[in-house]
Amino acid sequence: MITVLTPRKLLDTMSQAVGEAGLPSPLVAGADPFFVLVGTIISLRTRDAVTEVVTRRVLEATPSLREMASIPVEELAELLHPAGFFNRKAVQLKKIAEIVLRDHGGIVPSDRQTLVSLPGVGGKTAAYVLSMAFRIPAVCVDVHVHRISNRMGIVKTKTPEESEKALMKFFPRELWIPLNHIFVRFGQRICLPRIPECSGCVFKGWCRHAD
Ligand code: SF4
């Protein structure tokens, strides 16, 4: 049973529980920031399995900003189906490609303020792009991170935005980049959304939810 758990130990333990070393997703590891940005927008309101398939399909068809900017929006929407809000995302992705080409010299911005000014890009997406594409420390709070950190009692928050602020205080800055990936894998395999597998969980006996 775990009795004392520092933030570092918690993340290490979680990473080992899912058999990973906290590396980024194969889909985006070392990828162009454009790939990360596209994949993150597709993932919004979309199941993980669908995100993976759709992102690969879209990036195969439009592997650069220029190709994304020139594809007809209806065609892009077809590629995005069945991702959530695929019609809206088609418009947003095409617009983002046009803006980045026109206003940023074809280089995806690496600062939060400019990123969130792009269509469809919120704080979560910006944090993911900063941390995964540019290796700039940022806490990306998606549904998994928000759910698990509240279940465990690390934070007590109502919104992902509140969780982001609380987690930035809880975890030291050097752990912000791998945090999202580890939490997501843990949420997909053990701390499942509906019925978490608490009986076999390494945090059983420490986690507030399992008591
Ligand atoms: S004990 Fe249950 S709720 Fe707590 S982290 Fe493990 S799976 Fe999630």
Side-chain angles (χ1 to χ4, degrees):
M1 181 197 296
I2 299 169
T3 50
V4 179
L5 212 47
T6 63
R8 181 177 296 280
K9 178 74 177 163
L10 185 151
L11 210 57
D12 278 351
T13 304
M14 192 181 284
S15 183
Q16 285 169 23
V18 291
E20 297 202 14
L23 296 172
S25 160
L27 188 64
V28 296
D32 187 288
F34 167 65
F35 281 28
V36 181
L37 180 56
V38 171
T40 311
I41 288 176
I42 291 172
S43 76
L44 304 172
R45 302 294 188 98
T46 303
R47 286 186 295 114
D48 295 330
V50 173
T51 295
E52 187 125 355
V53 172
V54 170
T55 302
R56 287 189 192 285
R57 185 166 64 220
V58 168
L59 289 176
E60 275 171 19
T62 59
S64 71
L65 283 161
R66 205 158 290 284
E67 282 155 293
M68 178 73 79
S70 52
I71 190 172
V73 75
E74 299 78 15
E75 204 175 308
L76 185 53
E78 269 181 41
L79 291 167
L80 285 161
H81 184 270
F85 300 104
F86 57 92
N87 279 319
R88 188 190 303 174
K89 286 176 184 175
V91 175
Q92 290 169 340
L93 286 171
K94 193 169 160 60
K95 193 77 188 161
I96 286 172
E98 290 167 0
I99 293 171
V100 173
L101 284 167
R102 186 190 65 216
D103 300 343
H104 303 287
I107 296 170
V108 174
S110 59
D111 69 278
R112 187 184 178 101
Q113 202 177 345
T114 312
L115 279 169
V116 297
S117 73
L118 298 172
V121 178
K124 178 177 85 173
T125 301
Y128 196 75
V129 171
L130 289 175
S131 61
M132 299 307 289
F134 296 107
R135 315 305 288 170
I136 295 171
V139 174
C140 173
V141 178
D142 61 10
V143 287
H144 294 293
V145 177
H146 183 60
R147 178 185 72 252
I148 296 167
S149 55
N150 271 283
R151 274 180 181 167
M152 286 183 147
I154 300 170
V155 302
K156 196 173 175 188
T157 56
K158 288 194 166 49
T159 66
E161 291 73 26
E162 289 174 10
S163 293
E164 181 184 351
K165 289 194 179 84
L167 290 169
M168 284 168 75
K169 286 184 188 156
F170 183 81
F171 286 103
R173 192 176 168 84
E174 66 268 21
L175 297 179
W176 293 359
I177 290 176
L179 187 152
N180 177 273
H181 177 73
I182 295 169
F183 268 73
V184 169
R185 292 293 172 269
F186 188 70
Q188 290 170 332
R189 297 172 193 174
I190 298 170
C191 196
L192 305 172
R194 290 192 183 165
I195 306 175
E197 297 182 353
C198 299
S199 58
C201 179
V202 68
F203 296 112
K204 186 185 169 193
W206 177 85
C207 172
R208 277 182 16 166
H209 187 85
D211 287 340

